[in-house]
Amino acid sequence: MADIGRLLDLLWQDYMALNRQVRTVRGLLEKEGETVVNDHIALRTFDDSRVGIDALAGAFVAGGYQACGEYDFVQKKLFACHYEHADPALPRVFISQLKLAECSAGLRQIVAELLEQVPADLPGRWDFPVSGRTWNVDYRTYEVLADESEYAGWVAAFGFRANHFTVLVNALKTFDGLAALNAFIKQSGYPLNDGGGEIKGSPQSLLEQSSTLADQVPVDFTDGPHTIPACYYEFARRYPTADGKLFYGFVASSADKIFESTDRR
Ligand code: NI
């Protein structure tokens, strides 16, 4: 068991290496004099007991994280949990999973074949959350999955790794709120996911979020490389609850639209 800091660092390094826009946007913010604080990290998986939320959360729980909230996404057939660490400096972890029982028999069959390729010892390993894709998959199979569930296609193509990190807007000094940050991101050449409006949520719901559209990256499928949407960068502004502490949960109706940042367009 390596320490939790090493796992979080590996997740960040893997995410930065895969997504050029993240390196660029982070660099632009630092050029403005900002120190970027990560609000949360999100991971995706299937609700099979070998690799589901409980399995994927294992390394985080072993590192001191605790389950804090549950969320349902009926239309996307997703369920999610968020985890918090006693050390408030560590980002929250948001893990979602696709409810396979609600998907077609064809999708379930494909996912079963992918999961059979997962090494048996992988789910118990401390670096499982950053192990990437541990199966062979061809581009046509990816398309079949993504046509039914963009989420399933993404997991099949990218496997176990950070789907996104999120900048905590409250910790920025030179931007007066999320709208100002959004304007800066767009001026820098990165379009935002405007499904449901650029800003999801409101001060009343205690959380405002926005996100870029995912980078297009070449992925090696068994039949050669194809360019598909990878990861996006998210921005979150949190508001205090009645007791004066920042709300650290999530808002399902907002997250629902954010998931679409990795859709093929
Ligand atoms: Ni998020």
Side-chain angles (χ1 to χ4, degrees), residues 175-207:
F175 295 93
D176 182 23
L178 189 52
L181 178 63
N182 285 347
F184 175 79
I185 300 296
K186 285 188 290 180
Q187 269 165 27
S188 306
Y190 296 96
L192 298 174
N193 170 358
D194 60 6
E198 280 176 5
I199 295 181
K200 282 77 170 164
S202 63
Q204 290 73 36
S205 66
L206 305 181
L207 174 61

Coordinates of all heavy atoms in Angstrom, one line a residue, residues 175-207:
F175 N -10.1 35.8 -10.2 CA -11.3 35.7 -10.9 C -12.5 35.9 -10.0 O -12.6 35.2 -8.9 CB -11.4 34.3 -11.6 CG -10.3 34.1 -12.6 CD1 -9.1 33.5 -12.3 CD2 -10.6 34.5 -13.9 CE1 -8.1 33.4 -13.3 CE2 -9.6 34.4 -14.9 CZ -8.4 33.8 -14.6
D176 N -13.4 36.8 -10.4 CA -14.5 37.1 -9.5 C -15.7 36.2 -9.9 O -16.6 36.6 -10.5 CB -14.9 38.6 -9.7 CG -16.1 39.0 -8.8 OD1 -16.3 38.3 -7.8 OD2 -16.8 39.9 -9.2
G177 N -15.5 34.9 -9.5 CA -16.6 34.0 -9.8 C -16.4 33.1 -11.0 O -15.5 33.3 -11.8
L178 N -17.4 32.2 -11.2 CA -17.3 31.2 -12.3 C -17.4 31.9 -13.7 O -16.8 31.4 -14.6 CB -18.3 30.1 -12.0 CG -18.2 28.9 -12.9 CD1 -16.8 28.3 -12.9 CD2 -19.2 27.8 -12.4
A179 N -18.3 32.9 -13.8 CA -18.6 33.5 -15.1 C -17.3 34.1 -15.6 O -16.9 34.0 -16.8 CB -19.7 34.5 -15.0
A180 N -16.5 34.8 -14.7 CA -15.3 35.4 -15.1 C -14.3 34.4 -15.5 O -13.5 34.6 -16.5 CB -14.7 36.3 -14.0
L181 N -14.2 33.3 -14.8 CA -13.3 32.2 -15.2 C -13.7 31.6 -16.5 O -12.8 31.4 -17.4 CB -13.2 31.1 -14.1 CG -12.3 29.9 -14.4 CD1 -10.9 30.4 -14.5 CD2 -12.4 28.9 -13.4
N182 N -15.0 31.4 -16.7 CA -15.4 30.8 -18.0 C -15.0 31.7 -19.2 O -14.6 31.2 -20.2 CB -17.0 30.7 -18.0 CG -17.4 29.5 -17.1 OD1 -16.6 28.7 -16.7 ND2 -18.7 29.5 -16.9
A183 N -15.2 33.0 -19.0 CA -14.8 34.0 -20.1 C -13.3 33.8 -20.4 O -12.9 33.8 -21.6 CB -15.1 35.4 -19.7
F184 N -12.5 33.7 -19.4 CA -11.0 33.5 -19.5 C -10.7 32.2 -20.3 O -9.9 32.2 -21.2 CB -10.4 33.5 -18.2 CG -8.9 33.3 -18.2 CD1 -8.0 34.3 -18.5 CD2 -8.4 32.0 -17.9 CE1 -6.6 34.0 -18.6 CE2 -7.0 31.7 -17.9 CZ -6.1 32.8 -18.2
I185 N -11.4 31.1 -19.9 CA -11.2 29.8 -20.6 C -11.5 29.9 -22.0 O -10.8 29.4 -22.9 CB -12.0 28.7 -19.8 CG1 -11.6 28.6 -18.4 CG2 -11.8 27.4 -20.6 CD1 -10.2 28.2 -18.1
K186 N -12.7 30.5 -22.3 CA -13.1 30.6 -23.7 C -12.2 31.5 -24.6 O -11.8 31.2 -25.7 CB -14.5 31.2 -23.8 CG -15.6 30.1 -23.4 CD -17.0 30.6 -23.6 CE -17.4 31.7 -22.7 NZ -18.7 32.2 -22.9
Q187 N -11.7 32.6 -23.9 CA -10.8 33.5 -24.6 C -9.5 32.8 -24.9 O -8.8 33.1 -25.9 CB -10.4 34.7 -23.7 CG -11.4 35.9 -24.0 CD -11.2 36.9 -22.8 OE1 -10.2 37.0 -22.1 NE2 -12.3 37.7 -22.5
S188 N -9.2 31.8 -24.1 CA -7.9 31.0 -24.3 C -8.1 30.0 -25.4 O -7.1 29.3 -25.7 CB -7.5 30.4 -23.0 OG -7.4 31.3 -21.9
G189 N -9.3 29.9 -25.9 CA -9.5 29.0 -27.1 C -10.1 27.6 -26.7 O -10.1 26.7 -27.5
Y190 N -10.7 27.5 -25.5 CA -11.3 26.2 -25.1 C -12.8 26.4 -24.9 O -13.2 27.0 -24.0 CB -10.6 25.7 -23.8 CG -9.2 25.4 -24.1 CD1 -8.2 26.3 -23.8 CD2 -8.8 24.2 -24.7 CE1 -6.8 26.1 -24.0 CE2 -7.4 24.0 -25.0 CZ -6.5 24.9 -24.6 OH -5.2 24.7 -24.9
P191 N -13.5 25.8 -25.9 CA -15.0 25.9 -25.8 C -15.5 25.2 -24.5 O -14.9 24.1 -24.1 CB -15.5 25.3 -27.0 CG -14.4 24.7 -27.8 CD -13.1 25.1 -27.1
L192 N -16.6 25.7 -23.9 CA -17.2 25.0 -22.8 C -18.3 24.2 -23.2 O -19.0 24.4 -24.2 CB -17.6 26.1 -21.8 CG -16.5 27.0 -21.2 CD1 -17.2 28.1 -20.4 CD2 -15.5 26.2 -20.4
N193 N -18.6 23.2 -22.4 CA -19.9 22.4 -22.5 C -21.0 23.3 -22.1 O -21.2 23.7 -21.0 CB -19.8 21.2 -21.6 CG -21.1 20.4 -21.5 OD1 -22.1 20.8 -22.1 ND2 -21.1 19.3 -20.7
D194 N -21.8 23.7 -23.1 CA -23.0 24.6 -22.8 C -24.3 23.9 -22.8 O -25.4 24.5 -22.7 CB -23.0 25.8 -23.8 CG -23.1 25.3 -25.3 OD1 -23.4 24.1 -25.5 OD2 -23.1 26.2 -26.2
G195 N -24.3 22.5 -22.7 CA -25.5 21.8 -22.5 C -26.2 22.2 -21.2 O -25.5 22.0 -20.1
G196 N -27.4 22.7 -21.2 CA -28.0 23.1 -19.9 C -27.4 24.4 -19.4 O -27.6 24.8 -18.3
G197 N -26.8 25.2 -20.3 CA -26.1 26.5 -20.0 C -24.7 26.2 -19.5 O -24.4 25.1 -19.1
E198 N -23.8 27.2 -19.7 CA -22.4 27.0 -19.4 C -22.3 26.7 -17.9 O -21.4 26.0 -17.5 CB -21.6 28.3 -19.7 CG -21.3 28.3 -21.2 CD -20.5 29.5 -21.6 OE1 -20.2 30.4 -20.8 OE2 -20.3 29.7 -22.9
I199 N -23.1 27.4 -17.0 CA -22.9 27.2 -15.6 C -24.1 26.3 -15.1 O -25.3 26.6 -15.3 CB -23.0 28.5 -14.8 CG1 -21.8 29.4 -15.2 CG2 -23.1 28.3 -13.3 CD1 -21.7 30.7 -14.5
K200 N -23.7 25.1 -14.6 CA -24.7 24.2 -14.1 C -24.8 24.5 -12.6 O -23.8 24.7 -11.9 CB -24.3 22.8 -14.2 CG -24.5 22.2 -15.6 CD -23.4 22.7 -16.6 CE -23.4 22.0 -17.9 NZ -22.7 22.8 -18.9
G201 N -26.0 24.5 -12.0 CA -26.3 24.8 -10.6 C -26.3 26.3 -10.4 O -26.2 27.1 -11.3
S202 N -26.4 26.7 -9.1 CA -26.7 28.1 -8.7 C -26.2 28.2 -7.3 O -26.0 27.3 -6.5 CB -28.2 28.4 -8.8 OG -28.9 27.5 -7.9
P203 N -26.1 29.5 -6.8 CA -25.8 29.7 -5.4 C -26.8 29.0 -4.5 O -26.4 28.6 -3.4 CB -25.8 31.2 -5.2 CG -25.5 31.8 -6.6 CD -26.1 30.8 -7.6
Q204 N -28.0 29.0 -4.9 CA -29.1 28.4 -4.1 C -28.8 26.9 -3.9 O -29.1 26.3 -2.9 CB -30.5 28.6 -4.7 CG -31.0 30.0 -4.6 CD -30.3 30.9 -5.6 OE1 -29.9 30.5 -6.7 NE2 -30.0 32.2 -5.2
S205 N -28.3 26.2 -5.0 CA -28.0 24.8 -4.8 C -26.6 24.5 -4.2 O -26.2 23.4 -4.1 CB -28.1 24.1 -6.2 OG -27.1 24.5 -7.1
L206 N -25.9 25.7 -3.9 CA -24.7 25.7 -3.2 C -23.5 25.2 -4.0 O -22.3 25.1 -3.5 CB -24.7 24.8 -1.9 CG -25.9 25.2 -0.9 CD1 -25.8 24.3 0.3 CD2 -25.8 26.6 -0.5
L207 N -23.7 24.9 -5.3 CA -22.6 24.5 -6.1 C -22.8 25.0 -7.6 O -23.9 24.7 -8.1 CB -22.5 23.0 -6.1 CG -21.5 22.3 -7.1 CD1 -20.0 22.8 -6.8 CD2 -21.6 20.8 -7.0

